[in-house]
Amino acid sequence: MSKTIFILNGPNLNLLGKRQPEIYGADTLADVETRCRALAESLGFAVEFFQSNHEGVIIDTIHRAREEAAAIVINPGAFTHTSVAILDALNAYDGLVFECHISNVHKREPFRHHSFVSARADGVMAGFGTEGYELCVRRACSLLSKA
Ligand code: CA2
């Protein structure tokens, strides 16, 4: 079985740590990548870390995960609330899926309360800041180590 976890990030998350720190915190996406990689490697797993502002690129990467990844941690950004296409791609993927939101989407505007991705996710994280990514990685490694 693959020992790789894909961590996928959707639109505007390249701005993490550069705008709106009151909502998303001060860490950059590069900081998140460094911490997730270190954690996964300490548990015997590898990480591929991606960000794209383009729905089709995210879908292509989920398709690639079908062959290359045992788990996906995904923060789909605003596509969470709009994208049946990302849900369809995740439904065609057999591994573990964890949905990760930095903010607590349920405490925010009503349009952020519904997620298409949650219908496929094995776990959902929201409101733990960027530490949520590491919690998802830890859970994925834990389940994969037992498999
Ligand atoms: O809380 C999350 O992680 C979100 O997935 C972030 C999305 C938002 O549309 C979701 O409702 C919740 C937005 C990502 C934008 O990220 C930025 C980060 C810093 C500055 C500006 C945007």
Side-chain angles (χ1 to χ4, degrees):
M1 192 211 281
S2 164
K3 297 279 268 181
T4 300
I5 300 169
F6 275 18
I7 304 180
L8 309 185
N9 292 280
N12 298 308
L13 284 157
N14 51 308
L15 300 177
L16 198 65
K18 298 169 185 164
R19 296 290 306 273
Q20 296 184 273
E22 67 286 0
I23 302 176
Y24 299 113
D27 297 335
T28 66
L29 208 55
D31 296 330
V32 177
E33 176 175 359
T34 299
R35 295 202 313 258
C36 287
R37 192 179 302 287
L39 173 63
E41 287 177 2
S42 75
L43 297 170
F45 290 84
V47 157
E48 284 205 31
F49 199 93
F50 302 92
Q51 189 276 330
S52 177
N53 295 320
H54 305 280
E55 190 173 17
V57 174
I58 294 167
I59 291 165
D60 287 343
T61 307
I62 294 169
H63 291 174
R64 192 154 67 75
R66 285 161 47 81
E67 305 299 326
E68 299 180 17
I72 294 173
V73 175
I74 183 165
N75 183 347
F79 290 146
T80 304
H81 318 297
T82 64
S83 182
V84 175
I86 288 177
L87 172 61
D88 286 347
L90 290 169
N91 278 333
Y93 171 73
D94 287 332
L96 295 167
V97 175
F98 295 98
E99 176 181 353
C100 183
H101 299 287
I102 299 165
S103 64
N104 180 1
V105 283
H106 301 290
K107 201 178 171 187
R108 299 182 64 190
E109 304 95 320
F111 67 83
R112 296 186 202 276
H113 296 180
H114 178 261
S115 164
F116 284 100
V117 170
S118 293
R120 167 62 181 87
D122 296 294
V124 180
M125 182 69 61
F128 287 77
T130 57
E131 286 177 51
Y133 285 84
E134 288 153 278
L135 295 169
C136 290
V137 168
R138 193 173 282 284
R139 176 68 174 160
C141 293
S142 164
L143 290 175
L144 293 170
S145 297
K146 287 178 202 145

